[in-house]
Amino acid sequence: MSDPKAERTFIAIKPDGVQRGLIGDIIKRFEQRGYKMVAGKLMWAPKDLLLNHYKDLSDKPFFKGLVEYMASGPVFAMVWEGKEVVKMGRKMLGATNPLSSEPGTIRGDYCIDMGRNVCHGSDAVETAQREIALWFKDDELNDYEFASKGWIYE
């Protein structure tokens, strides 16, 4: 990473968000906030990747359905970089249950049901590091200076 104070997070637009044409709107929100995308790809996630990604939920009754749903269509996987991007990314997404999400958040504006909540976002810096490594090879992560950095950060 070019900035030692910056952190990275993993954000994925789930199949419902891709099918509803929300990729551009979601990217726009992160860009407008001032975060820098360092990786992004549209992909059909393999089941083994999803089983590994969601392994901490494997004992939950909804686990099988979640994996099947996430494998049902393309996902847009992204890595965003910036100051406290993990915590702020979660705030921008809103509560996991869209009906508990505030208007103005991504889920609050675009979702109704928890099983169709448009996005996944890492919940901690350590989780983000693990998820980024699962979804992206090192050479897919771009390290560059953001031209507007001086206008975003002091």
Side-chain angles (χ1 to χ4, degrees), residues 74-119:
V75 172
F76 193 75
M78 301 171 282
V79 178
W80 289 91
E81 183 178 294
K83 187 176 183 180
E84 297 190 29
V85 69
V86 173
K87 180 173 78 172
M88 188 52 62
R90 295 285 290 189
K91 284 185 178 183
M92 291 169 64
L93 292 181
T96 303
N97 182 345
L99 293 178
S100 299
S101 292
E102 293 294 320
T105 64
I106 291 166
R107 291 176 178 145
D109 288 350
Y110 296 120
C111 310
I112 295 172
D113 283 339
M114 192 156 54
R116 298 294 181 265
N117 67 1
V118 177
C119 280

Side-chain angles (χ1 to χ4, degrees), residues 12-87:
I13 302 173
K14 296 178 179 181
D16 57 315
V18 172
Q19 291 293 334
R20 292 178 57 202
L22 298 176
I23 294 171
D25 290 337
I26 293 167
I27 288 173
K28 182 179 179 181
R29 288 180 184 227
F30 280 85
E31 287 179 331
Q32 285 179 326
R33 180 79 190 191
Y35 291 122
K36 174 175 70 172
M37 187 190 297
V38 297
K41 60 184 173 183
L42 183 67
M43 62 184 287
W44 205 289
K47 260 200 176 149
D48 60 331
L49 169 64
L50 295 168
L51 290 169
N52 195 351
H53 179 89
Y54 289 113
K55 69 182 179 184
D56 58 322
L57 302 174
S58 63
D59 61 342
K60 304 289 185 194
F62 59 83
F63 175 72
K64 185 179 179 209
L66 173 63
V67 171
E68 286 176 13
Y69 158 67
M70 287 295 291
S72 70
V75 172
F76 193 75
M78 301 171 282
V79 178
W80 289 91
E81 183 178 294
K83 187 176 183 180
E84 297 190 29
V85 69
V86 173
K87 180 173 78 172

